[in-house]
């Protein structure tokens, strides 16, 4: 009886061993799925590390096959999601073909994939999933790929203006804006275009553009613009935009990129001086006359102006001689007006027409800043009335010349006798 039981036990053990050998090529070696750890995919590298948006990244695995038998088709499939992309024509499937198992861990195959990182990929870790098949089943595993774009990125730094305080009716105001590159890469061929809001105009052609060249990562350069401020603009912050075009240093496609940033331009409260009216005494100016020049100055701003004065700038070709070229007005509160008076003489040879004189209105604001406004005012010389002494000046002059000539000739003849 015992021998019969022993025979049955031995037979059962032999059957178990036989079935184990049929299932696994190596006795006692368990399988995970169909392959277990007998085919290993060890991630070797990503190049570059970290990957850069807009460029390629090479991924490599070390494939170690320790199966005791030869594998006819060692197949791999890579799943990659955005922002890691396969280029058109590239396949996520690869077949290493015939693979001979080995116990030498130094013998391995290299699996290689090349992916493209999307242009607008953000910094972060993205997983790819590798699935492989020895013909006995499938195994898959995730691997992290690190992306840190080596691209330029910009922010607006300090805005410095000249004059330091921008007010209404400022001409050729200098705007100096710092452009900071906070990205991971250098920016090349950087150009800036300033789009001014309503109430501002560029002072002259291309004064709203600047070229900065290369801005290195963590570097900064200053863009300079010139703008005119409208005389009717109100105090407050005005939103302008900066359009930045540039090329990333390591961009293989040499693509020009654009970034738009906002820029606040502050207009401060201040006095604003204008010429309200211009009159002369007498009203009609004629050649050779003397007169007084009356200019009424008004403060249309929202701050008072201290020590207001007016100065005239006469062109040498204009037929006026001023006794004094400036006059003091005093303090003008918002909405208040004052008068400056200058005495002058009209050249006797002045042509009858309108002349335009440049005058400067000057004051001091509440912060002791000097505010200056350039204005143009008219002075008109009218023809002298007929019959007036000044109107007959030409005839009188001619008569004097004739009388003098007659006298000269008579005197000369008497001396000869």
């Amino acid at each position: 009886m015992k021998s019969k039981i022993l025979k049955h036990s031995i037979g059962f053990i032999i059957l178990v061993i036989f079935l184990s050998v049929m299932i696994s090529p190596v006795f006692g070696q368990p399988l995970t799925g169909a392959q277990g750890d007998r085919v290993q995919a060890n991630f070797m590298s990503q190049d570059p590390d970290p990957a850069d948006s807009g460029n390629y990244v090479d991924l490599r695995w070390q494939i170690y096959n320790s199966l005791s038998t030869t594998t006819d088709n060692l197949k791999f499939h890579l799943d990659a999601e955005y922002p890691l992309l396969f280029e058109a024509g590239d396949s996520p499937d690869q077949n290493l073909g015939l693979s001979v198992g080995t116990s030498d861990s130094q013998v391995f195959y290299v699996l290689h994939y090349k992916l493209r990182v999307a242009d607008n990929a953000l910094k972060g870790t993205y997983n790819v999933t590798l699935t492989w098949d020895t013909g006995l089943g499938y195994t898959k595993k995730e691997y992290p790929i690190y992306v840190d774009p080596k691209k330029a990125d910009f922010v607006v730094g300090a805005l410095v203006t000249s004059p330091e305080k921008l007010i209404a009716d400022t001409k050729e105001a200098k705007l100096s804006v710092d452009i900071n590159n906070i990205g991971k890469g250098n920016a090349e061929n950087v150009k800036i275009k300033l789009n001014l809001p309503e109430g501002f105009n560029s002072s002259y052609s291309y004064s709203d553009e600047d070229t900065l060249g290369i801005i290195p990562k963590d570097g900064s350069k200053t863009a300079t613009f010139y703008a005119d401020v409208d005389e009717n603009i109100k105090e407050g912050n005005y939103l302008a935009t900066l359009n930045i075009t540039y090329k990333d240093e390591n961009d293989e496609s040499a693509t020009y990129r654009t970034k738009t940033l906002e820029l606040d331009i502050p207009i401060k409260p201040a006095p604003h001086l204008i010429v309200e009216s211009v009159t002369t005494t007498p009203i009609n100016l004629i050649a050779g006359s003397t007169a007084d020049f009356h200019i009424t100055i008004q403060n249309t701003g929202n701050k008072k102006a201290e020590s207001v004065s007016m100065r005239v700038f006469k062109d040498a070709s204009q037929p006026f001689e001023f006794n004094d070229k400036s006059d003091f007005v005093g303090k003008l509160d918002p909405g208040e007006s004052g008068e400056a008076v200058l005495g002058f003489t009209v050249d006797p040879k002045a042509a009858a027409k309108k002349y335009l004189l440049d005058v400067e209105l000057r004051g001091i604001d509440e912060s002791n800043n000097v505010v200056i406004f350039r204005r143009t005012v008219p002075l008109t010389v009218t023809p002298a009335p007929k019959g007036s002494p000044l109107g007959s000046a030409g005839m009188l002059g001619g008569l004097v010349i004739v009388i003098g000539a007659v006298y000269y000739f008579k005197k000369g003849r008497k001396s000869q006798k």
Side-chain angles (χ1 to χ4, degrees):
M1 183 69 178
K2 289 183 178 180
S3 61
K4 187 177 180 180
I5 294 173
L6 181 60
K7 288 180 180 179
H8 283 294
S9 299
I10 293 171
F12 178 75
I13 292 171
I14 292 171
L15 178 61
V16 169
I17 292 172
F18 176 76
L19 292 174
S20 298
V21 171
M22 292 295 293
I23 295 172
S24 175
V26 180
F27 177 75
Q29 179 65 44
L31 291 178
T32 304
Q35 301 176 64
D37 295 329
R38 307 313 301 276
V39 176
Q40 299 177 14
N42 301 315
F43 189 62
M44 296 175 65
S45 65
Q46 69 169 78
D47 182 26
D49 187 6
D52 185 15
S53 59
N55 291 316
Y56 292 99
V57 58
D58 286 325
L59 308 179
R60 296 177 185 270
W61 283 265
Q62 183 189 77
I63 306 301
Y64 172 59
N65 180 5
S66 65
L67 290 171
S68 62
T69 59
T70 299
T71 303
D72 292 333
N73 292 298
L74 191 52
K75 299 178 181 178
F76 293 86
H77 177 85
L78 185 67
D79 286 316
E81 297 183 353
Y82 190 86
L84 302 172
L85 310 169
F86 284 99
E87 289 283 71
D90 291 342
S91 174
D93 297 307
Q94 291 198 34
N95 188 351
L96 294 185
L98 189 68
S99 173
V100 179
T102 178
S103 60
D104 185 354
S105 60
Q106 300 303 311
V107 178
F108 56 85
Y109 303 92
V110 174
L111 178 66
H112 170 243
Y113 281 95
K114 186 176 183 180
L115 300 178
R116 187 177 184 278
V117 186
D119 289 343
N120 57 350
L122 301 178
K123 178 179 179 180
T125 300
Y126 302 89
N127 290 330
V128 296
T129 302
L130 185 66
T131 303
W132 62 93
D133 174 29
T134 63
L136 301 175
Y138 290 90
T139 296
K140 66 179 180 179
K141 186 177 180 181
E142 286 188 343
Y143 300 89
I145 306 301
Y146 184 47
V147 175
D148 189 2
K150 295 178 182 178
K151 296 189 178 299
D153 194 14
F154 302 99
V155 295
V156 173
L159 168 64
V160 177
T161 65
S162 179
E164 182 178 349
K165 182 178 179 181
L166 289 184
I167 62 174
D169 200 27
T170 303
K171 303 302 180 186
E172 293 189 24
K174 183 179 180 181
L175 308 177
S176 300
V177 187
D178 287 342
I179 306 297
N180 302 325
N181 181 0
I182 60 171
K184 298 293 184 179
N186 299 340
E188 297 181 340
N189 299 340
V190 179
K191 297 181 180 180
I192 317 291
K193 167 73 172 177
L194 174 64
N195 298 309
L196 292 164
E198 186 175 354
F200 297 80
N201 291 292
S202 56
S203 297
Y204 46 85
S205 297
Y206 305 110
S207 68
D208 55 356
E209 298 179 12
D210 200 2
T211 300
L212 302 184
I214 297 175
I215 303 181
K217 63 179 181 179
D218 299 323
S220 175
K221 283 193 174 180
T222 301
T224 302
F225 312 99
Y226 292 89
D228 296 338
V229 185
D230 191 88
E231 67 175 328
N232 296 317
I233 199 169
K234 303 299 182 183
E235 66 175 288
N237 287 333
Y238 291 80
L239 187 63
T241 58
L242 295 166
N243 285 344
I244 306 175
T245 59
Y246 64 98
K247 182 175 73 71
D248 284 304
E249 179 183 24
N250 297 316
D251 187 353
E252 297 173 359
S253 63
T255 301
Y256 276 89
R257 306 177 187 278
T258 302
K259 180 157 188 177
T260 301
L261 300 175
E262 294 182 344
L263 174 68
D264 275 332
I265 303 178
I267 298 298
K268 302 297 185 180
H272 185 242
L273 304 177
I274 66 168
V275 173
E276 187 176 10
S277 64
V278 176
T279 59
T280 60
T281 305
I283 296 175
N284 293 324
L285 300 179
I286 58 176
S289 65
T290 60
D292 287 330
F293 187 29
H294 300 263
I295 299 181
T296 302
I297 300 167
Q298 184 180 26
N299 179 7
T300 61
N302 48 16
K303 294 292 181 180
K304 70 178 179 180
E306 301 278 359
S307 303
V308 177
S309 64
M310 188 274 290
R311 180 178 179 83
V312 66
F313 294 93
K314 185 187 75 68
D315 189 279
S317 64
Q318 294 173 335
F320 307 107
E321 187 64 38
F322 287 89
N323 301 333
D324 294 300
K325 292 187 177 180
S326 63
D327 191 24
F328 184 77
V329 177
K331 178 176 71 70
L332 292 179
D333 287 322
E336 191 175 8
S337 298
E339 186 179 69
V341 181
L342 297 177
F344 68 100
T345 302
V346 184
D347 192 291
K349 298 179 181 179
K353 67 175 186 177
K354 180 194 290 186
Y355 297 88
L356 298 177
L357 279 73
D358 291 328
V359 298
E360 178 185 270
L361 309 181
R362 180 186 292 258
I364 300 175
D365 67 11
E366 293 180 341
S367 301
N368 288 324
N369 296 311
V370 176
V371 292
I372 299 173
F373 304 90
R374 296 295 293 265
R375 308 297 184 197
T376 300
V377 297
L379 271 183
T380 301
V381 176
T382 59
K386 291 182 179 180
S388 71
L390 288 174
S392 305
M395 296 177 61
L396 289 173
L399 182 60
V400 169
I401 293 173
V402 171
I403 293 173
V406 171
Y407 175 78
Y408 172 81
F409 283 114
K410 284 186 176 181
K411 183 178 181 182
R413 287 178 180 179
K414 287 180 180 180
S415 63
Q416 290 178 359
K417 293 180 181 179

